[in-house]
Amino acid sequence: MSLTRRAVAPVLALALGGSVASPAHAGDDWSLERSSSDPALVSARLAKLRRNPFDSRHWGALRKSIGLQGLAKKIAAGRARSPSDQGWRILEARMDLAQGRAGEAADKLAALQLATTGKRSTQIFEMRVQALESAADWGTVVGLLERRA
């Protein structure tokens, strides 16, 4: 094909409503969709959840894609890497609550609440009350709510 034809062909194709791009081969996968258990997607969601451990959307998505035990392992691994990280500590307590260890969750949240201020402190308090209610520790719940009022 001559240089003139190669230059004119794309312009002519566009003018006639065609496309310059060549079709992709059948084996090429250019989709942006990924499996919900794709390691890159799981890592991204876990990082977002660590930054905002009260995010129910990412918690639910991770729980659905890798299961409760898989999520528990990821949280335990993150906590082992960064034992003082508040996000991992909250997620560990949240996992205790999800796995039926409400008393342990309440104890962990009590320790966290002492070292936290601001909006996150309120969220920790609310989760602690929820854990104490699940543990049927009504005396502690009433005492907390009275002191808070």
Side-chain angles (χ1 to χ4, degrees):
M1 185 183 281
S2 71
L3 182 61
T4 307
R5 273 188 149 169
R6 277 188 287 197
V8 172
V11 174
L12 186 58
L14 285 174
L16 296 174
S19 172
V20 179
S22 62
H25 298 288
D28 291 347
D29 183 15
W30 289 81
S31 67
L32 296 176
E33 292 184 28
R34 298 187 271 190
S35 164
S36 63
S37 61
D38 175 29
L41 184 58
V42 168
S43 292
R45 281 189 171 144
L46 197 57
K48 290 177 183 176
L49 186 60
R50 187 195 59 76
R51 285 191 302 274
N52 183 8
F54 299 99
D55 185 329
S56 57
R57 185 173 61 103
H58 288 298
W59 176 270
L62 283 166
R63 192 171 170 170
K64 184 178 179 184
S65 66
I66 62 175
L68 190 63
Q69 292 306 315
L71 183 54
K73 288 177 185 176
K74 297 275 187 191
I75 291 170
R79 178 89 161 95
R81 280 191 311 273
S82 304
S84 62
D85 183 271
Q86 191 180 52
W88 290 124
R89 291 174 67 194
I90 293 169
L91 289 172
E92 181 182 50
R94 189 171 181 182
M95 182 55 68
D96 285 343
L97 188 56
Q99 292 180 325
R101 296 187 305 268
E104 291 177 35
D107 292 342
K108 290 174 184 176
L109 292 166
L112 275 166
Q113 191 177 357
L114 292 173
T116 308
T117 59
K119 178 183 175 188
R120 192 166 268 184
S121 175
T122 302
Q123 292 171 312
I124 291 170
F125 175 81
E126 290 170 356
M127 186 179 282
R128 183 178 174 203
V129 169
Q130 179 187 1
L132 290 166
E133 287 174 346
S134 294
D137 189 349
W138 304 114
T140 307
V141 170
V142 170
L144 280 175
L145 294 174
E146 284 176 344
R147 282 193 303 273
R148 187 76 165 208

